[in-house]
Amino acid sequence: MPRVLVVRGHQATPWDLRQWEALPDRFDVAYLRSAANGWDVGSVALEAVPVRTRRDRLPKGRLGDVATLLAGDAYGAGADEAYAAADVVHAEELAYWFAADAARAKEHHGFKLVQTVWETLPMLRTYRRGASAKLRHEVLAATDLFMPATERARIGLLLEGVPEEKIAVCAPGIDVDRFAAASVPATPPAEHTIVAPGRLVWEKGQHDAIRALALLHRGIVTLPDGTPARPHLKIVGVGPEDGRLRAHAQELGLGEAVTIGAVPYDDMPGVFAGASALLLGSQSSALGGRHPFDVPRAFWEEQFGFVFVEAMAAGLDIVATTNGAIPEVLQGQGTLVPAGDYIGMARALAAGALSRPPGTRVAYPAELLQHYSVGAFADRLAGAYDRVLTGSH
C-alpha cells in the first residue's frame, strides 16, 4: 500500500489525526511526533514516528519558545528516514515551518506533497513577516495539491496565486456515531450548562461568553416569559487568557457559575451530553505593527471548527458568531450573531436552549452530518491521494 506521512510539527492533535484512522485498508499511514508536541496523541491508532526538532534542543518554557521563533524550527533525527519511506507527505498551511521542511525534503526524496489549508485570509507576501513569506514561497513552489477545509479557504488560495487545478476542497470529518451515542445522558441534567470549547486566546471570544452569562444571571436579558436564567458556563481549553477569564468572571460575580479547564478529547462526547448549548464567540485577530520589525495585518479568523460538527452530532443547540468560515460550516444551522455581540449571544440563548428543559436535543440534517463524517472524509482523502499519485486531475 502507498505510504502516507502526516506532518504537523508540534501541533499534532487527536481530533485531526483520527481522521486518518479510516484509511488503513487503502493506505499505510504514519505521523511525525515531536517531543515538544502540544497535545496528548497517545490514543491515536496510527504509527507514530518519533523525531527530533530544533525546539527540542532549546530550553523549555517561554525562553525556548522565543529562541525558536528567532532561529526557526526544523526537523532533525528521524525525519529523513520517514520522508524517504513516504509516497505522500501531508502537511498543512502555507507558512508553517514544518510545511516548508517537507517542501525542502521533497526535492531529495521525490514524494508527492499535499497541504491541508485552514487559513482563510490571503495575506500573500505583504502581510507576512519576512521569515513567513519565505516559507510560503517554498510551500507554494513544491506542493502538488492543496486541500482547503472550506470554500472560504479555497478562495483565499486563489488569491495567493494557487492554480485552480491544484486545489481540492476537503472538509474534515469526525466520528459522528461516537458523539451521537453520548448525546442523551442516562439522567437528564438538572441545570443548563453552556459549553464554550477552544484555546483560551482573545480571538476565541470566551470573554464575550462570560459577559453574555452575566446578562442572563442578572436578568438584564430574560427568558421569553420574563424570568431570569442562570445557566452554568463550562469553558473547555487552556491558553494564555486563563487568568484574565477567571478574573473577569469573578468581577462580574460569576465565580461559581463559570468553570475553566482542559478536558481530554476522548471525554468531549460526555461534556456535550451534559450541556444544553454550544457557545462560540470567535472574532478576528489583528496586529497593528507596533514596532519597526512587524507589519500590520489581520492574521486569524475562525477557519473550520471541529466543535461545530461535534456539537451537531451530539444534538446541541448552537450559538456562534458570523466570523470567518462559521456560516459556511453550519450551512444554515444554529443561531449566528455578529462577532463581539455578547448581548445577541445572551438573547439567542434565552430564546432558544434556555427556554427548553436542560439537555434538550436539536435535530440536524442527516446528510449534513454524513458530509462531516470521518468515513466521508476518508473517501475525499483517498481520492486526493490517488489523484496526486497517478497524476490525474
Side-chain angles (χ1 to χ4, degrees):
M1 289 188 292
R3 173 82 164 178
V4 174
L5 182 68
V6 182
V7 175
R8 291 294 187 266
H10 310 304
Q11 301 174 190
T13 65
W15 51 90
D16 183 25
L17 291 176
R18 281 189 176 160
Q19 298 176 102
W20 277 265
E21 291 178 352
L23 284 179
D25 60 329
R26 289 173 277 186
F27 295 89
D28 176 24
V29 183
Y31 69 97
L32 298 184
R33 184 168 66 187
S34 72
N37 195 62
W39 287 265
D40 181 5
V41 290
S43 62
V44 174
L46 297 175
E47 178 189 347
V49 179
V51 289
R52 300 284 293 175
T53 67
R54 189 172 293 160
R55 178 68 184 85
D56 300 329
R57 300 197 298 269
L58 294 170
K60 293 182 179 180
R62 187 175 296 275
L63 179 62
D65 291 341
V66 172
T68 305
L69 182 64
L70 293 174
D73 212 338
Y75 284 121
D80 201 56
E81 295 84 353
Y83 283 140
D87 298 293
V88 175
V89 171
H90 194 147
E92 65 179 354
E93 300 294 28
L94 302 187
Y96 281 165
W97 67 266
F98 53 86
D101 191 281
R104 298 179 205 115
K106 177 190 173 184
E107 182 177 0
H108 180 64
H109 294 293
F111 51 74
K112 298 297 183 179
L113 182 58
V114 174
Q115 305 285 354
T116 289
V117 177
W118 308 95
E119 188 175 86
T120 57
L121 296 172
M123 294 183 283
L124 285 79
R125 289 183 58 87
T126 305
Y127 290 101
R128 298 183 196 273
R129 296 190 188 97
S132 294
K134 182 178 183 295
L135 298 178
R136 168 187 174 271
H137 176 75
E138 293 178 286
V139 171
L140 287 175
T143 299
D144 296 287
L145 184 65
F146 294 89
M147 300 180 66
T150 61
E151 174 66 14
R152 191 176 182 91
R154 184 190 76 86
I155 292 171
L157 282 173
L158 292 174
L159 291 182
E160 290 278 3
V162 177
E164 190 152 11
E165 62 270 18
K166 294 181 69 173
I167 302 174
V169 177
C170 184
I174 67 157
D175 188 341
V176 171
D177 292 339
R178 191 166 74 92
F179 282 87
S183 64
V184 182
T187 302
E191 65 172 354
H192 284 292
T193 295
I194 310 302
V195 62
R199 293 172 295 116
L200 305 187
V201 291
W202 183 89
E203 56 266 29
K204 284 294 184 177
Q206 289 102 344
H207 52 279
D208 281 332
I210 293 173
R211 293 165 184 164
L213 190 75
L215 294 179
L216 294 164
H217 274 247
R218 296 185 186 187
I220 299 172
V221 173
T222 65
L223 297 174
D225 64 3
T227 61
R230 295 186 174 87
H232 185 84
L233 177 64
K234 186 178 182 66
I235 298 176
V236 180
V238 296
E241 286 299 298
D242 185 293
R244 269 186 288 271
L245 291 171
R246 293 180 189 275
H248 203 40
Q250 288 287 345
E251 65 184 353
L252 286 169
L254 298 171
E256 298 299 317
V258 178
T259 57
I260 302 174
V263 172
Y265 183 65
D266 286 344
D267 294 343
M268 284 304 294
V271 171
F272 288 137
S276 297
L278 173 85
L279 177 60
L280 202 65
S282 301
Q283 49 197 280
S284 297
S285 186
L287 294 176
R290 298 178 181 176
H291 60 79
F293 304 107
D294 205 352
V295 294
R297 65 198 186 280
F299 66 90
W300 187 90
E301 63 180 14
E302 190 62 60
Q303 297 164 348
F304 180 85
F306 280 85
V307 294
F308 293 119
V309 184
E310 293 162 355
M312 286 192 286
L316 271 188
D317 199 358
I318 296 173
V319 176
T321 66
T322 56
N323 185 253
I326 293 175
E328 178 185 339
V329 174
L330 289 178
Q331 297 189 28
Q333 306 301 313
T335 302
L336 298 181
V337 301
D341 185 7
Y342 63 92
I343 301 172
M345 295 176 196
R347 288 173 175 165
L349 290 168
L354 300 181
S355 68
R356 301 185 288 265
T360 300
R361 299 295 98 176
V362 175
Y364 292 95
E367 61 273 17
L368 181 58
L369 294 176
Q370 170 57 29
H371 176 68
Y372 289 135
S373 69
V374 71
F377 169 81
D379 289 340
R380 291 189 287 269
L381 199 58
Y385 291 160
D386 288 339
R387 172 177 167 179
V388 296
L389 288 171
T390 62
S392 61
H393 295 287

